[in-house]
Amino acid sequence: SDCMKILVIGGGGREHAMVWKLAADSRNPALFCAPGNAGTAEIAVNVNISAEDIDGLTAWAVENKPDLTVVGPEAPLCAGLTDAFQEKGLRVFGPCKSAAQLEGSKLFAKDVMISAGVPTAECKSFTDPDQAIKYVKEQGVPIVLKADGLAAGKGVFVCSSLAEAESAIKETMISKSFGDAGNTLLVEECLTGEEASILALIDGENILMLASSQDHKRVFNNDEGPNTGGMGAYSPAPVVTEDMWPFIRENIFNRVLKELKKRGIVYKGVLYAGIMMTPDGPKVLEFNCRFGDPETEAVLPRIAGDLVPALEACIDGNLEQNMIKWHDEACVCVVMAAGGYPGLYGKGDVISGLDEARKLGKLVVFHAGTKLDNGKVVTSGGRVLGVTALAPDLKGAIMLAYSGVSMISFDQAQYRTDIGAKALKPVF
């Protein structure tokens, strides 16, 4: 049939947001999501294959021939999913394995940045825990420690005491909490300032910057408690002022692209720069090789019109600046998480209030850790829902999002009550 078929890979809030955005596309595509969740099930066909099962996904795609596959999470990209699909002649949005190293290895990303002259934190890497501890003692605190490999956003420690740093080094390099991801440890200077997430679509040559956003990484209000995968986001982020954009495009994205090309790597897909707005200007904290989560939930609803043409243009190498248009509205996403997250948490709790919340105008509830159990929506992950609102300004979007949150409940739900508050502080 001439109906376009799109496969979205992943099962979290980011993927529900993608499926939701693609469902509104003027080409009216038939949507599939592997593995998906209770939210994607309403607008797509969930395919019961794990996002990390590259052979299983490839076999499904060869048989079902999607016209486009959009990869959500980093693990399959770093494992070479794009390469496997391309070998079968399938069109896939997401970088190849060699390009995905920008996220898969923090050491590789650092090396690229230093060679390219991208502003970033001073850094040293270690494979021996004793050497790492010795160096940290010489440098003093505060200091940042990062596992080199993929650790689901949890392998970064901002240490304000030597004891904290020592226990993080032991956890990463000796107890191996993150497995082989912690074989190499990066020790970085601690940058100060406010963070922002900048996503750009890239077709190998051309760069199309998406709207700015800010994530809230710590589990509790006022940025306290351990790091999570992200407890909420908003867009735009006022900390990224108009005059910053040319600098970020030129000195971060363009330089990285040129350096990768020098190394024989063509980057196609979305590149996400986590940037600290320091007193000395923007500096890169990390790169991700995919849409951020929960930033995607705050950025995609602000796109006016279709997303498919821009995604296809990244594959075909004909990306143009006018391919994405924006609503003026601000967007806020508040994550409702399971009690105990990012540590141990329960699963299988019934979620109520979803139908009431969806009557609230420009509010959409993106599902993350949910599944259907006998017709009921139940919790199945640490981050459960992303309650997302659009409004003419950030203050209105915050109020609307929290009205939605107040209608939804499940056992031991936890969420921050200060998502977006940073953006409302007067800037002097």
Side-chain angles (χ1 to χ4, degrees), residues 106-107 110 114 120-148 155-159 162 165-166 168-170 172-173 184-191 285:
K106 292 191 170 65
L107 194 60
K110 215 37 142 174
I114 289 159
T120 185
E122 293 292 313
C123 173
K124 228 174 145 147
S125 70
F126 295 90
T127 52
D128 174 348
D130 296 332
Q131 292 294 322
I133 289 168
K134 186 172 166 242
Y135 177 74
V136 167
K137 283 179 176 159
E138 288 162 12
Q139 293 297 306
V141 287
I143 202 151
V144 179
L145 307 176
K146 297 179 175 178
D148 171 47
V156 176
F157 302 88
V158 182
C159 303
L162 283 173
E166 232 168 297
I169 290 169
K170 285 176 178 154
T172 307
M173 302 187 83
T184 300
L185 184 82
L186 278 66
V187 181
E188 283 193 7
E189 71 168 314
C190 188
L191 298 176
L285 296 164

Side-chain angles (χ1 to χ4, degrees), residues 51-62:
E52 293 176 38
D53 178 1
I54 292 181
D55 293 343
L57 292 166
T58 308
W60 185 92
V62 165

Side-chain angles (χ1 to χ4, degrees), residues 13 36 41 46 53 66 76-77 88 112 142 148 195 201 221 223 237 259 278 323 325 376 380 387 397 401 425:
N46 281 357
D53 178 1
L77 290 167
K88 303 286 186 195
V112 166
D148 171 47
E195 262 184 72
L201 298 181
N221 281 5
D223 297 329
E259 177 62 29
T278 77
M323 285 181 168
K325 306 204 177 14
K376 289 195 169 71
S380 72
V387 182
K425 289 200 189 103

